[in-house]
Amino acid sequence: MANRELLDEQREETRLIIEELLDDGSDPDALYTIEHHLSSEKFEVLEKAAVEAFKLGYEVTDPEELEVEDGSVLMCCDVISEIALKAELIDAQVEQLMNLAEANGVNYDGWGTYFEGDDDEEGEEGEDEDFVDEDDDGKRH
C-alpha cells in the first residue's frame, strides 16, 4: 500500500497543477494526456513495472537513460493515459501507479501534462492542423 503521506503530497500537487493550468486558460473540458513518471536504477526492474502498467491499460513509453544531478544514471519511462482534468481521476491513477511502483521496487516520480487551448489558438501558433500521424492506429489505453 502506498505511503499515505506521499499520497497526500501527490494529491496536493495534483490540485496545484490543475489550478495553474486552468488559471492560465487551459480548456477545462478537454481530454488531457497525463504522463506519470517511473524510474529505476535497473532496466529489468523498470521493464517489469512497465509491463504491469501496460496490463492495467496504460500506454507506456520506451525506457530512456537519465543522468541525475549526482551523476548516477536512472532508467525512466512514462505511463500515459488520456483523461479529463479532474483531481479525483488523477488521484486514482496516482494511487494505482504508486502501489504498482512500490510493489515492483521502482520510483514514482509524479505526473505532468500539457496546456490544452482551443483549436483556434493552436492554428494561430503555427501548428499544422492537417497533420496525420501515419503510425497512429487510433487505439488508446
Side-chain angles (χ1 to χ4, degrees), residues 16-130:
L16 288 172
I17 292 170
I18 292 171
E19 181 180 335
E20 288 175 5
L21 281 165
L22 296 177
D23 285 350
D24 287 343
S26 197
D27 183 355
D29 299 321
L31 285 179
Y32 284 76
T33 301
I34 307 296
E35 298 177 349
H36 299 274
H37 312 295
L38 299 180
S39 66
S40 175
E41 292 179 359
K42 297 181 180 176
F43 171 79
E44 297 79 15
V45 174
L46 182 65
E47 182 179 44
K48 183 179 178 213
V51 168
E52 291 299 317
F54 181 78
K55 288 179 182 177
L56 291 172
Y58 293 94
E59 181 181 338
V60 181
T61 63
D62 291 334
E64 296 180 11
E65 286 186 359
L66 174 70
E67 186 173 338
V68 292
E69 291 177 8
D70 68 2
S72 62
V73 176
L74 294 176
M75 296 303 301
C76 305
C77 72
D78 290 333
V79 175
I80 302 170
S81 67
E82 192 170 306
I83 59 173
L85 194 64
K86 305 283 185 215
E88 58 277 356
L89 297 175
I90 297 170
D91 288 344
Q93 288 187 348
V94 167
E95 185 166 0
Q96 181 181 45
L97 292 170
M98 286 181 81
N99 286 332
L100 180 145
E102 184 177 310
N104 287 278
V106 301
N107 304 308
Y108 177 82
D109 298 320
W111 67 273
T113 191
Y114 303 94
F115 180 89
E116 292 290 339
D118 61 26
D119 291 337
D120 293 335
E121 287 180 21
E122 289 178 17
E124 291 173 6
E125 292 175 7
E127 298 229 357
D128 184 357
E129 294 181 45
D130 296 327

